Amino acid sequence: MAREFSLDKTRNIGIAAHIDAGKTTTTERILFYTGRVHRMGEVDAGAATMDWMAQEQERGITITAAATTCFWRDHRINIIDTPGHVDFTVEVERSLRVLDGVVALFCAVGGVQPQSETVWRQANKYGVPRIAYVNKMDRTGAEFHSVLHAMRERLGCRAVAVQLPLGQEADFRGVIDLIRLKAVVYLDEEGREFREEPIPEESLPLVSRFREALLEAAAETDEGLMHKYLSGEELTEEEIRLGLRRGTLRYQMVPVLCGASYRNKAVQPLLDAIVDYLPSPLDVPSVQGRHPDTGDAITMQAADEGPLAALAFKVAADRNVGQLVYLRIYSGSLARGAKVYNSTKQVSQRVTRLLRMHANRREHLQEALTGDIVAAVGLDQTTTGDTICEERTPILLESIQFPDPVISVSLEPETRTEEVKLVESLTALSGEDPTFRFHTDPDSGQMIVSGMGELHLEIVTDRLRREFNVAARVGRPQVAYRETIRAEAVVQASHIRQTGGRGQYAQVTIRLSPRQAGAGLSFLDATKGGSVPREFISAVEAGVREACQSGLLGGYPVVDLEAALLGGKAHEVDSSEMAFKMAASRALREALQKAEPVLLEPIMLAEVVCAGERLGDVLADLNSRRAHVTGISASLGGTEIIRVLIPLVNTFGYATVLRNLTQGRGTYTMEPSHYAQVPEDVARDLIPGGSTVAVA
């Protein structure tokens, strides 16, 4: 298939930000100005193109990352609009894994908010170059320079303004282009008509200062430009843009623009910046992987003629075509009907259809090429993070890591006949979302579903009802507690059984040691002299890991410890893998009793926004919830921002309480922070029998 757009004229970008910063509204304007849609849909009216799910339209928020394609200045721009709510951070994580560049949106009133920082960290993790767009310059309290300062202070980036706002709040009418030294004034409601004017005289001192910083940033990326700049020669517009592009691709700077997407002002310059500063697939490092059998490192260049290398970054159930697998193609090409190899699962599958997605609308393709983001049908055994390649040239790409769920509820079908249907539906939903999990409680027989927050599970149960026609009763939220140890312990345990035939014999000595928070469980073989035969070491590890799945205090998983196998004994006839596994499990549980076990609970980082006169009431309520206040500051809009660390268990139903305390004007956001030890008086109520735990 002939390539319509060369790779250097392809942009794979994401739009990411804190909730309510205007991501979907900005995407709608981009689609309108590029001619992809002929009418701008509004989020508040439930008519946004990218928010196509019923739950998104009703709540006015983005829940699932939606992909689309548009065209600007002879470039193809593949866009993924990501959610801003922390409960759906998985959508941002997997999108950033496959994108080449990001437009980070900031609210001109809210500035750098908690989810802004989370998105920034995720972009740092995957090494994604980015530009910034300060939206909502028309809002009361908008302050462009405060956002620039917050970006530098809280995100640690070199934020370089390439525009300044022309007026602000109700007087915002356009932007000052610092490269071309022109004022751009928007004239009509749709933002199609604009006029270039000389920069107002009162703005010239500020423009001069920011222009000098812009020139310095551009010149620092190239010796020739720096020499020209220091010599006092004027840099051309093209040289400035090339310098900014180099600096962006090297993560040395972040070009910052501004506008008011809802008022249709200054979105077209953002499109220009996407083309000018964000990378093409040729500008990012070649994809790295390893051979699935030998483990040897493999590098594949971005070229249509190369072997196929693609990553499945999202799976979605489509009632019309079945399972959709979203792919980013890093190398080679993929044709409809082609037989491909899933090197993660080590199975071959056939692609029955190839689709280019426009939110939930589909465009059929015969072939996809390097740099494309497409959806494939027929890959039923493929899940998120799997590598798709050719069997004769296999490669295994780095997968995607997702956080563990922090909240659970029980689900019961309203009728016995719907039990099987419920399990099938939950299986489909968990296939789509790696942060959503479910299991049957062995003691109660209840179905337990787990996710990232109350809203996350609320959306899941709503989808069960609407999409799968399964009605289920929802139980009280449950917290994903953990257990760990505070002291070292060494225990020797045996598993000896004598029967009429061959017996069972194993003896092990295990040492448990605490590890730092978040370090997880590790197993160490510290045996000497072959006291435990090599063929039984893996069985000992399996016994340890299995025993750690259910702790002593409340049956919660045990984390953050090292289990070292120090020694043991074996019988030349009666020893077996099962015997050593049982001995290790017994040793682990005995050692836990001696190692001062403690209960851990998930702690959330929350940011509560309220009016100043309600600050005392809100703080008093937070104190009653065991919240630890880490800071209070005034926001750009004149309200108070309270930053707290609060146990997840004490946040259930907080939205309703906060609304009552603030007469409906208070808001809050949360994200998982860490696990911390449960206070002794609280732990007594959580542990069966009211046992106490070790405390500091």
Side-chain angles (χ1 to χ4, degrees):
M1 183 178 86
R3 176 177 280 280
E4 186 179 0
F5 288 86
S6 60
L7 271 178
D8 66 317
K9 292 194 172 184
T10 298
R11 301 288 183 271
N12 291 316
I13 68 156
I15 299 184
H18 187 87
I19 191 170
D20 202 33
K23 297 177 299 300
T24 302
T25 299
T26 302
T27 306
E28 288 294 316
R29 272 58 184 172
I30 287 174
L31 297 179
F32 178 73
Y33 295 126
T34 58
R36 195 68 174 85
V37 299
H38 302 292
R39 183 177 62 85
M40 289 179 277
E42 301 299 348
V43 174
D44 293 343
T49 304
M50 305 302 282
D51 284 351
W52 57 270
M53 291 176 64
Q55 293 84 358
E56 294 175 315
Q57 293 167 355
E58 290 173 357
R59 291 167 173 81
I61 62 171
T62 300
I63 292 171
T64 182
T68 189
T69 299
C70 59
F71 309 93
W72 186 257
R73 282 174 41 192
D74 296 324
H75 285 67
R76 169 185 281 155
I77 304 175
N78 298 317
I79 302 175
I80 296 181
D81 176 30
T82 64
H85 198 287
V86 68
D87 281 17
F88 310 106
T89 189
V90 59
E91 297 288 341
V92 184
E93 183 86 15
R94 58 183 170 192
S95 298
L96 289 175
R97 171 66 177 83
V98 298
L99 291 171
D100 299 326
V102 164
V103 177
L105 258 69
F106 299 93
C107 173
V109 179
V112 178
Q113 297 167 286
Q115 189 66 2
S116 309
E117 296 182 65
T118 301
V119 169
W120 203 265
R121 287 195 300 269
Q122 289 171 314
N124 288 340
K125 172 182 175 181
Y126 293 113
V128 184
R130 68 218 76 157
I131 61 176
Y133 175 70
V134 181
N135 191 24
K136 302 190 178 184
M137 286 303 308
D138 59 317
R139 288 269 303 276
T140 301
E143 180 50 72
F144 178 75
H145 302 290
S146 294
V147 179
L148 273 181
H149 178 73
M151 287 180 64
R152 293 165 183 152
E153 290 294 313
R154 295 182 64 175
L155 303 179
C157 69
R158 185 178 184 179
V160 178
V162 296
Q163 294 175 344
L164 292 178
L166 190 61
Q168 63 186 40
E169 298 184 342
D171 295 328
F172 179 72
R173 58 190 188 278
V175 295
I176 297 173
D177 187 329
L178 294 175
I179 296 177
R180 298 187 302 122
L181 290 176
K182 295 284 186 182
V184 183
V185 180
Y186 290 84
L187 305 174
D188 66 326
E189 288 188 1
E190 283 195 344
R192 289 183 182 273
E193 297 180 20
F194 56 88
R195 181 176 65 238
E196 292 187 354
E197 301 177 350
I199 297 170
E201 192 170 337
E202 64 271 16
S203 299
L204 288 175
L206 191 65
V207 168
S208 177
R209 180 160 62 89
F210 276 89
R211 163 86 172 181
E212 197 62 30
L214 173 68
L215 293 175
E216 183 179 329
E220 286 179 359
T221 64
D222 180 82
E223 285 189 14
L225 289 183
M226 179 57 77
H227 178 75
K228 189 174 180 179
Y229 170 72
L230 293 176
S231 301
E233 295 183 55
E234 192 69 29
L235 301 185
T236 67
E237 292 178 13
E238 188 61 28
E239 287 173 332
I240 296 171
R241 291 192 180 94
L242 285 174
L244 292 176
R245 179 177 181 81
R246 276 193 294 264
T248 303
L249 300 187
R250 296 172 186 168
Y251 319 111
Q252 295 172 347
M253 68 182 73
V254 179
V256 184
L257 300 91
C258 60
S261 297
Y262 186 70
R263 300 297 177 193
N264 308 317
K265 289 180 171 64
V267 176
Q268 296 95 325
L270 174 61
L271 277 162
D272 289 332
I274 289 169
V275 168
D276 290 338
Y277 308 130
L278 289 181
S280 75
L282 296 175
D283 295 317
V284 297
S286 298
V287 66
Q288 305 282 333
R290 58 185 176 84
H291 195 285
D293 298 324
T294 65
D296 295 338
I298 300 174
T299 300
M300 287 192 176
Q301 306 296 327
D304 298 338
E305 303 77 23
L308 175 65
L311 185 72
F313 68 94
K314 179 180 171 74
V315 175
D318 188 296
R319 64 181 63 184
N320 296 310
V321 298
Q323 178 171 290
L324 287 176
V325 176
Y326 286 75
L327 300 171
R328 162 66 196 266
I329 301 179
Y330 289 99
S331 171
S333 60
L334 178 61
R336 176 185 175 184
K339 187 178 181 181
V340 296
Y341 183 63
N342 182 327
S343 59
T344 308
K345 302 284 194 304
Q346 297 188 336
V347 295
S348 295
Q349 296 175 277
R350 190 171 299 279
V351 176
T352 57
R353 297 193 214 179
L354 271 178
L355 308 168
R356 178 169 286 125
M357 302 300 294
H358 178 52
N360 64 329
R361 297 196 288 278
R362 302 177 292 274
E363 174 188 336
H364 289 267
L365 300 174
Q366 292 299 317
E367 188 177 22
L369 303 174
T370 297
D372 284 349
I373 293 176
V374 296
V377 180
L379 307 181
D380 294 338
Q381 297 182 61
T382 298
T383 56
T384 301
D386 288 359
T387 301
I388 301 298
C389 56
E390 298 168 4
E391 193 164 5
R392 66 177 183 272
T393 54
I395 184 174
L396 192 61
L397 304 179
E398 181 186 354
S399 190
I400 310 173
Q401 302 299 318
F402 300 107
D404 291 328
V406 296
I407 182 174
S408 302
V409 297
S410 61
L411 279 184
E412 287 186 40
E414 292 193 347
T415 63
R416 287 283 185 185
T417 57
E418 290 195 312
E419 281 188 6
V420 174
K421 194 175 180 182
L422 175 62
V423 172
E424 291 174 350
S425 303
L426 292 175
T427 301
L429 290 172
S430 63
E432 289 186 22
D433 184 353
T435 61
F436 169 69
R437 299 171 195 173
F438 72 98
H439 69 278
T440 302
D441 186 278
D443 297 323
S444 66
Q446 286 183 308
M447 184 69 69
I448 306 297
V449 297
S450 305
M452 299 305 296
E454 286 185 280
L455 179 60
H456 187 194
L457 296 183
E458 181 185 323
I459 296 298
V460 166
T461 53
D462 193 46
R463 291 187 63 191
L464 281 174
R465 179 175 57 84
R466 295 191 195 213
E467 297 176 30
F468 298 93
N469 296 316
V470 176
R473 293 185 293 271
V474 182
R476 283 177 52 82
Q478 302 170 7
V479 175
Y481 291 101
R482 298 285 184 265
E483 298 180 24
T484 192
I485 59 172
R486 297 191 40 148
E488 186 174 291
V490 178
V491 165
Q492 182 184 91
S494 303
H495 180 69
I496 302 173
R497 294 285 186 274
Q498 292 297 332
T499 60
R502 181 177 176 178
Q504 297 181 40
Y505 182 91
Q507 185 183 102
V508 296
T509 301
I510 300 284
R511 181 188 66 218
L512 295 189
S513 307
R515 302 181 73 194
Q516 65 182 21
L521 168 65
S522 74
F523 176 80
L524 174 67
D525 176 16
T527 57
K528 296 179 181 178
S531 57
V532 176
R534 304 304 308 166
E535 63 266 27
F536 298 138
I537 299 294
S538 60
V540 174
E541 181 177 359
V544 166
R545 293 190 178 277
E546 186 175 297
C548 282
Q549 292 177 8
S550 178
L552 299 180
L553 301 177
Y556 304 110
V558 185
V559 298
D560 302 337
L561 59 82
E562 178 188 84
L565 175 61
L566 303 182
K569 292 181 180 179
H571 189 278
E572 59 183 14
V573 175
D574 291 342
S575 290
S576 64
E577 289 188 356
M578 180 56 69
F580 272 95
K581 182 178 179 181
M582 297 295 291
S585 179
R586 179 173 299 170
L588 190 284
R589 298 193 72 78
E590 291 180 9
L592 285 176
Q593 293 177 349
K594 298 180 178 181
E596 298 182 20
V598 293
L599 200 61
L600 303 175
E601 63 181 344
I603 303 296
M604 310 298 286
L605 175 62
E607 195 164 274
V608 183
V609 180
C610 68
E613 63 268 19
R614 300 291 175 180
L615 181 62
D617 294 337
V618 173
L619 284 173
D621 179 72
L622 287 171
N623 286 334
S624 72
R625 296 171 182 270
R626 293 196 286 126
H628 171 65
V629 178
T630 60
I632 302 175
S633 60
S635 77
L636 301 181
T639 54
E640 298 290 335
I641 300 176
I642 311 165
R643 295 180 179 87
V644 298
L645 292 170
I646 182 171
L648 173 65
V649 69
N650 293 331
T651 65
F652 300 146
Y654 183 61
T656 302
V657 173
L658 183 62
R659 279 196 297 268
N660 293 335
L661 289 173
T662 61
Q663 296 181 329
R665 294 196 294 272
T667 61
Y668 79 101
T669 55
M670 287 194 312
E671 60 179 284
S673 174
H674 63 282
Y675 271 81
Q677 186 176 321
V678 179
E680 183 178 11
D681 57 332
V682 178
R684 286 196 191 98
D685 297 330
L686 297 172
I687 299 171
S691 305
T692 58
V693 292
V695 293

